[in-house]
């Protein structure tokens, strides 16, 4: 495959790096095979303890230099990374698609998201604003300023093998931090390709070795990061199970976290909806990335008066979905990440049936030519009631649950009655319904949309969710503040020393 060659992906490589230097790992080999066709693409070595220690030491020393680079100069480096990504968008998008299994359109989209966040971070590098306040004391001035934290740990999930890293690192770098990335053990080669692209920019500009570090490994390496007091902030994306363990470990040492965890996203389809528009948004949300987005649409809460009509539209739309090689533009849906994910899909279908769910589009594992990897499944739709245990759970697969409602308040209550709180949407042309959904009595999610689906966020907004989704925010708006420490400064430029709150304190004759 030409794109592997162009990205410098070899059969076996270290994958542990301090920037430009790759350190031959001594740990176990992590093999990456494509869910598209089962081919072993390559492998990396896991970072053993001594490799990890070498990398952390380099990151610590790089931070001492990097934090002194003016923020706009750091932004200039990120601008060049955006350009390098533009130049490699096609190849990197193909690798994302081949190693992870998402459609090529979505693979390219993921790289575009990296480019977008670089652009955002360039502007941000001149806007790391603090406030000034009026002091209660005469001849005093108060203001706040923001300083970098140090090493930012980034732990990412398989489903966004490159974009999530860029959301974190582009911001972390302009803020003056250095980063250490532990990608998912299921998609290590994407991280190696990104590392190589960034290394060319860093080398050209004399960026200190250690600003952009990469360590390979599974849960154990993630746990090493979560317990490491030299890493003041850990930004972790993955399952709620992982987030609870990681939050406990980082919290025990009073470190900071940004948690981006599971979702269980719903769309309310009102009797005032444009049903054609609803259909596109809901089907893309449910089957895009084979249901493996944190923002995938998992539940449709449909008004009883349009329920049968919309159900029939869904059935005919699902008949048109083409499943196959995601690198072929004719296909809408690629494979699940691995056979374990296929087992989880089958188990969820069984649980749904056992609790009374009725499938209107049946699920199954696809077999035959083109499906040899065993990871391709039929996206399916089940009629359920909202209280079924499986409906409360995030299954990372293309299973869509549909249910009825009568009153908007009831629909909102159903939407909110799950442990997760990432993304939500209402499809309605009725202004009062839309505003009720967005208002204080409406959706309890971090993301609430009107007349679009639950997936496909733009980088300009803060991204993240509430409850078991973890409460973190990444990407746009003022998310950068999580990557810095705030310092409040009070300066007395007068000749007296008045105390705050009017407290009197004197030392006799002095
Ligand atoms: P996962 O939890 O299995 O793994 C995620 C990452 O955490 C991996 O790098 C893994 O090695 C690491 N890890 C696992 N256990 C750990 C521990 N105890 N301590 C430290 N690190 C640990 O998740 P996954 O299967 O790769 O991804 C799917 C999940 O990610 C879904 O739940 C999805 O909703 C979630 N996700 C959330 C967002 C978001 O922004 N909210 C984005 C993408 C994915």
């Amino acid at each position: 495959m030409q794109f592997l060659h162009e990205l410098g992906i070899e059969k076996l490589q270290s994958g542990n790096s301090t920037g430009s230097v790759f350190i031959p790992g001594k740990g176990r080999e992590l093999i990456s095979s494509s869910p598209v066709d089962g081919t072993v693409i390559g492998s990396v070595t896991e970072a053993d303890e001594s490799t990890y220690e070498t990398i952390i030491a380099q990151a610590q020393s790089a931070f001492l230099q990097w934090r002194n680079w003016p923020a706009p100069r750091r932004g200039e480096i990120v601008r060049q990374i955006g350009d390098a990504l533009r130049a490699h968008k096609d190849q990197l998008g193909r690798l994302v698609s081949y190693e992870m299994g998402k459609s090529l359109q979505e693979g390219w989209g993921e790289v575009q998201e990296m480019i977008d966040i670089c652009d955002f971070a360039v502007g941000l590098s001149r806007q790391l604003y603090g406030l000034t306040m009026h002091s209660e004391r005469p001849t005093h001035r108060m203001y706040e300023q923001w300083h970098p934290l140090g090493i930012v740990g980034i732990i990412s999930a398989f489903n966004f093998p490159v974009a999530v890293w860029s959301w974190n690192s582009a911001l972390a770098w302009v803020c003056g931090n250095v980063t250490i990335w532990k990608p998912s053990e299921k998609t290590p080669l994407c991280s190696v390709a990104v590392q190589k692209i960034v290394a060319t920019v860093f080398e050209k500009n004399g960026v200190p070795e250690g600003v952009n570090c990469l360590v390979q490994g599974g849960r154990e390496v993630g746990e090493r990061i979560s317990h490491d007091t030299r890493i003041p902030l850990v930004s972790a994306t993955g399952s709620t199970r992982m987030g609870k363990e990681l939050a406990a470990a980082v919290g025990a040492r009073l470190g900071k976290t940004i948690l981006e965890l599971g979702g269980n996203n719903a769309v309310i389809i009102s009797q005032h909806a444009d049903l054609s528009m609803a259909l596109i948004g809901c089907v893309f949300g449910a089957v895009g990335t084979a249901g493996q987005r944190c923002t995938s649409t998992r539940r449709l809460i449909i008004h009883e008066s349009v329920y049968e009509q919309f159900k029939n539209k869904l059935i005919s739309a699902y008949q048109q979905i083409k499943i196959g090689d995601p690198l072929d533009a004719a296909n809408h849906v690629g494979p699940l990440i691995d056979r374990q994910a296929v087992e989880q899909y089958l188990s969820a279908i069984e649980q749904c049936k056992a609790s009374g769910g009725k499938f209107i589009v049946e699920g199954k594992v696809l077999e035959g030519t083109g499906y040899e990897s065993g990871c391709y499944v039929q996206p399916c739709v089940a009629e359920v009631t909202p209280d079924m245990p499986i409906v409360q759970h995030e299954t990372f697969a293309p299973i869509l649950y549909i249910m009825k409602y009568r009153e908007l308040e009831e629909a909102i209550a159903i939407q909110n009655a799950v442990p997760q709180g990432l993304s939500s949407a209402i499809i309605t042309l009725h202004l009062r319904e839309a505003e009720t959904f967005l208002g204080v009595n409406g959706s309890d999610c971090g993301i609430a949309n009107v007349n679009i689906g639950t997936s496909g966020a733009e980088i300009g907004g803060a991204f993240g969710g509430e409850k078991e989704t973890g409460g973190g925010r990444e990407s746009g708006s003022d998310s950068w503040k999580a990557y810095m420490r705030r310092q409040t400064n009070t300066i007395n430029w007068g000749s007296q020393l008045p105390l705050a709150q009017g407290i009197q304190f004197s030392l006799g004759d002095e």
Side-chain angles (χ1 to χ4, degrees), residues 8 13 45 59 226 334 404:
Q13 46 205 4
T45 42
S226 66
K404 275 183 201 165

Side-chain angles (χ1 to χ4, degrees), residues 447-479:
I447 296 167
N449 297 330
V450 176
N451 290 331
I452 60 168
T454 57
S455 74
E458 297 179 22
I459 62 95
F463 180 86
E466 303 301 328
K467 303 192 290 186
E468 285 198 355
T469 304
R473 291 296 185 278
E474 280 175 0
S475 194
S477 184
D478 65 352
S479 305

Side-chain angles (χ1 to χ4, degrees), residues 156-159 182 185 237-239 245 260-261 294 394 463:
S156 59
F158 77 85
N159 65 330
K182 193 209 82 61
E185 57 275 38
T237 303
S239 58
E245 290 170 11
E260 300 288 353
L261 311 175
C294 50
E394 179 199 46
F463 180 86

Side-chain angles (χ1 to χ4, degrees), residues 89-165:
K89 179 173 171 180
D90 179 52
Q91 301 98 314
L92 189 56
R94 283 177 195 278
L95 177 60
V96 167
S97 178
Y98 192 52
E99 191 177 34
M100 186 272 154
K102 62 177 64 175
S103 76
L104 183 54
Q105 279 299 328
E106 293 177 86
W108 283 329
E110 200 175 329
V111 184
Q112 185 58 46
E113 218 170 331
M114 302 173 85
I115 295 165
D116 293 344
I117 195 71
C118 285
D119 287 352
F120 180 89
V122 178
L124 179 66
S125 70
R126 291 179 187 268
Q127 299 175 74
L128 302 171
Y129 301 137
L131 298 172
T132 61
M133 302 89 181
H134 287 264
S135 170
E136 66 189 46
R137 288 168 281 184
T139 65
H140 280 55
R141 184 165 76 84
M142 278 175 77
Y143 72 101
E144 65 185 17
Q145 57 176 335
W146 295 85
H147 292 308
L149 291 168
I151 305 177
V152 173
I154 303 167
I155 296 176
S156 59
F158 77 85
N159 65 330
F160 276 90
V162 293
V164 165
W165 165 83

